[in-house]
Amino acid sequence: MTARHESWNGGEPRAGTVRALVRFSGELSIKARRTRSRFQKQLARNLRDGFAAEGVEARLRLEWSRFYIEGADRGFLGPLRRTFGVSSCSVLAGECEAELDAIVTVGESLFADAVRGRRYAVRARRSGSHGFSSSDIHQRLGAALNPGATVDLDDPDVTVFVEVRDGRAFFYDDSVRGASGLPLGVQGHALALISGGFDSPVAAWMALRRGIRLDYVFCNLGGRAYERMVVEVTKILADRWSYGTRPRLHVLEFGPVVEAMRARAKPAYLQVVLKRMMYRAAAEIAGRTGADALVTGESVGQVSSQTLRNLRAIENASSLPVLRPLLGFHKEEILERAREIGTHDLSARVREYCDLVPHRPVTASTPAAAEAQEAAVGFEELNGAISGATTCDLRELRPESMVGASLYVTAVPESAEIIDTRPAQAFESWHWPGAVRRDLMELERDFADLDRTATYVLCCAEGVRTAYLAEAMQRAGYEAYSFLGGAPRMRRLLRPPASGSPDRNAF
């Protein structure tokens, strides 16, 4: 469908369309009139961008305290749920003129069947000048619905909502929660450090919810497979939660920085020095892009580098304020929020590359001690990583272009050996003819036993988990690839030609 951005002027709905009432976050109502007007206009822009991004046909009507949406179907509910500044939305069961007799007649026709034999309540609210009150609606419509039903104001099975605004009355029986917060873009621009794990995407989401437009910086410690995973996590934030903006991802190769740290800094300080280097790099990128702050996923006490003293030792490496939305969160809260956002399952597959000190890391560094270790490392490698940073528009990025073709394949090379790393049940349900099943962790540990003269295609459920292993095997001298799209996409290759045998090179 094609997004339509024009507003409509009320009146009777067009045949075959769906209308909805959109409520703003309560924070907007307490703003000064000029500020509120600016916020609501930004919210409208973000909604329209969301509809366009999702291919939804929908039109907006803007009012001071509500938005109204008309669409071909309920497709607009997805973007609405993920647009910050929206408190809730109700799909309208019907509407009529704001006259008491009409409200009773239409309300009865809409809900009589729904409440029959059940407990129900009528809730009405009214705005504007009318010859009746909300109580009049409760009494008249409640009485009309009463035959065959029972009024229960405390625990109803069905609640009939009536909202009267000036010349129209709107009916609905349920509401869909929105993300609330402030419209994205009304609180300036920040740069979020993203690692792909659970914490940093949740921290970024919480900053977005406060109206802060975000770009992202990723300090890559694990190669292209790791980069691919981080990009996929960050794209969820960009594609589903950043309507109205064009987030950019800055990728810095931090391998040489870590090598320099290992050679020149005391081992116990590696975590603290790494964080300081990341802060410096992010602050430099932020300065170039006009960002006003950094956003991180740090939570006090979660790991050794996030003790209060170590955070103090790290803080002054940034020339900009560092925002930590997760400061008081515990891990279970972060995981639950990651599930709500949609990043949890991808983040669960991201390996931990930042753990540089397996034994006895410093937990109570001072700024002076951290600076001394940082100075011992120097900044040559860091400056090289900054100058070599690459940038992409996350919303424009497509999976096939996230990494080079040397790591992923979309066809099965002739004579390649297929290694399927999915669980036994999934493998037995379907697998590529001739494939062998290996446990992913076992294969990671033992792949050196494989024949180096063979070509390997690694397969998993999503096409992500085997990517880092394929890269590790390539570095060890193997010709190994991860199948892009995993088993589902591989299965689609098995469309036999006329001969009846699978075409291993077709796609």
Side-chain angles (χ1 to χ4, degrees):
M1 288 183 288
T2 302
R4 301 179 64 179
H5 298 163
E6 73 272 19
S7 63
W8 48 278
N9 296 317
E12 294 300 327
R14 296 180 300 174
T17 62
V18 177
R19 282 189 176 184
L21 178 153
V22 180
R23 304 172 190 84
F24 308 142
S25 170
E27 292 183 84
L28 272 66
S29 65
I30 63 174
K31 302 298 181 185
R33 186 175 184 86
R34 181 177 296 179
T35 301
R36 177 173 174 174
S37 176
R38 177 169 61 87
F39 282 18
Q40 291 181 185
K41 289 177 181 178
Q42 183 65 49
L43 176 57
R45 286 192 289 269
N46 294 349
L47 283 170
R48 287 167 174 153
D49 182 51
F51 297 152
E54 302 296 333
V56 172
E57 181 182 357
R59 299 188 297 170
L60 281 175
R61 176 159 63 92
L62 281 58
E63 292 190 358
W64 180 244
S65 57
R66 294 285 189 275
F67 285 173
Y68 296 92
I69 293 179
E70 183 180 69
D73 52 37
R74 294 183 176 227
F76 53 70
L77 289 177
L80 273 171
R81 290 189 183 102
R82 300 189 298 270
T83 301
F84 298 107
V86 172
S87 173
S88 64
C89 170
S90 296
V91 174
L92 299 178
E95 57 187 275
C96 67
E97 294 182 1
E99 297 179 356
L100 186 57
D101 289 342
I103 291 171
V104 173
T105 300
V106 173
E108 182 181 9
S109 68
L110 290 172
F111 295 103
D113 291 339
V115 305
R116 186 171 293 115
R118 308 177 73 185
R119 303 188 309 274
Y120 75 97
V122 176
R123 313 285 190 199
R125 64 176 67 183
R126 188 178 57 83
S127 176
S129 178
H130 307 94
F132 56 89
S133 66
S134 297
S135 295
D136 293 330
I137 299 175
H138 294 155
Q139 295 170 9
R140 289 278 306 277
L141 180 54
L145 293 171
N146 193 47
T150 302
V151 175
D152 187 339
L153 301 182
D154 298 319
D155 187 25
D157 298 319
V158 179
T159 301
V160 177
F161 294 94
V162 184
E163 183 157 331
V164 181
R165 307 199 65 81
D166 299 320
R168 302 292 291 176
F170 304 94
F171 300 85
Y172 55 93
D173 59 5
D174 195 12
S175 293
V176 175
R177 286 180 56 192
S180 291
L182 297 175
L184 185 55
V186 301
Q187 288 296 316
H189 177 207
L191 187 68
L193 285 88
I194 195 85
S195 69
F198 296 112
D199 301 345
S200 57
V202 174
W205 184 89
M206 294 186 69
L208 293 170
R209 194 184 188 200
R210 300 310 305 159
I212 300 173
R213 177 173 65 87
L214 289 184
D215 287 327
Y216 301 87
V217 63
F218 166 51
C219 299
N220 190 357
L221 307 177
R224 289 192 300 170
Y226 179 34
E227 178 182 340
R228 161 87 182 207
M229 296 179 193
V230 172
V231 168
E232 290 199 352
V233 172
T234 313
K235 269 187 70 63
I236 291 176
L237 298 173
D239 292 346
R240 296 172 61 85
W241 296 102
S242 299
Y243 301 133
T245 67
R246 306 294 302 190
R248 302 182 72 79
L249 174 66
H250 305 273
V251 179
L252 285 69
E253 294 300 330
F254 245 55
V257 178
V258 172
E259 291 176 9
M261 288 168 46
R262 290 188 184 278
R264 302 166 196 163
K266 292 181 179 179
Y269 280 84
L270 288 178
Q271 297 295 136
V272 171
V273 174
L274 177 63
K275 284 294 184 70
R276 288 182 64 91
M277 292 290 190
M278 289 180 171
Y279 274 29
R280 287 188 183 277
E284 177 65 25
I285 299 294
R288 297 178 182 181
T289 59
D292 299 313
L294 304 183
V295 176
T296 78
E298 292 156 328
S299 173
V300 171
Q302 188 173 126
V303 294
S304 64
S305 63
Q306 296 176 24
T307 65
L308 191 58
R309 289 190 176 181
N310 278 354
L311 289 176
R312 179 181 176 230
I314 294 166
E315 181 88 11
N316 67 351
S318 171
S319 57
L320 294 174
V322 180
L323 310 181
R324 300 183 176 96
L326 305 184
L327 204 63
F329 277 48
H330 60 69
K331 198 65 177 185
E332 287 304 315
E333 291 175 303
I334 296 170
L335 294 177
E336 182 58 33
R337 186 58 58 88
R339 292 185 184 97
E340 295 174 6
I341 296 167
T343 56
H344 177 277
D345 291 349
L346 280 174
S347 291
R349 298 194 292 268
V350 176
R351 301 177 67 196
E352 177 59 69
Y353 289 93
C354 295
D355 188 8
L356 304 183
V357 189
H359 304 293
R360 296 187 179 181
V362 64
T363 58
S365 182
T366 65
E371 288 172 9
Q373 292 301 310
E374 186 182 46
V377 175
F379 301 104
E380 180 179 353
E381 291 80 7
L382 178 65
N383 291 335
I386 295 171
S387 63
T390 60
T391 303
C392 65
D393 182 328
L394 283 163
R395 288 180 62 180
E396 286 292 329
L397 201 60
R398 295 295 174 262
E400 291 78 3
S401 64
M402 290 179 187
V403 295
S406 61
L407 185 60
Y408 291 89
V409 293
T410 57
V412 179
E414 195 68 37
S415 302
E417 296 189 17
I418 314 301
I419 300 179
D420 194 322
T421 64
R422 295 175 299 152
Q425 184 176 1
F427 179 81
E428 292 168 3
S429 175
W430 178 88
H431 60 267
W432 184 269
V436 297
R437 196 189 78 81
R438 293 285 299 272
D439 178 78
L440 183 64
M441 300 299 290
E442 175 189 289
L443 184 60
E444 182 180 5
R445 183 183 67 242
D446 299 334
F447 71 77
D449 297 334
L450 295 174
D451 182 1
R452 289 181 178 271
T453 65
T455 298
Y456 299 95
V457 173
L458 311 180
C459 168
C460 61
E462 309 87 0
V464 176
R465 297 189 68 190
T466 50
Y468 74 85
L469 180 55
E471 185 174 28
M473 292 176 66
Q474 286 184 11
R475 287 175 174 173
Y478 289 85
E479 185 176 358
Y481 307 94
S482 179
F483 195 88
L484 184 65
R489 191 168 184 178
M490 179 178 278
R491 188 172 187 175
R492 292 199 295 271
L493 286 181
L494 290 180
R495 297 172 179 169
S499 64
S501 59
D503 182 354
R504 294 168 63 91
N505 297 301
F507 184 66

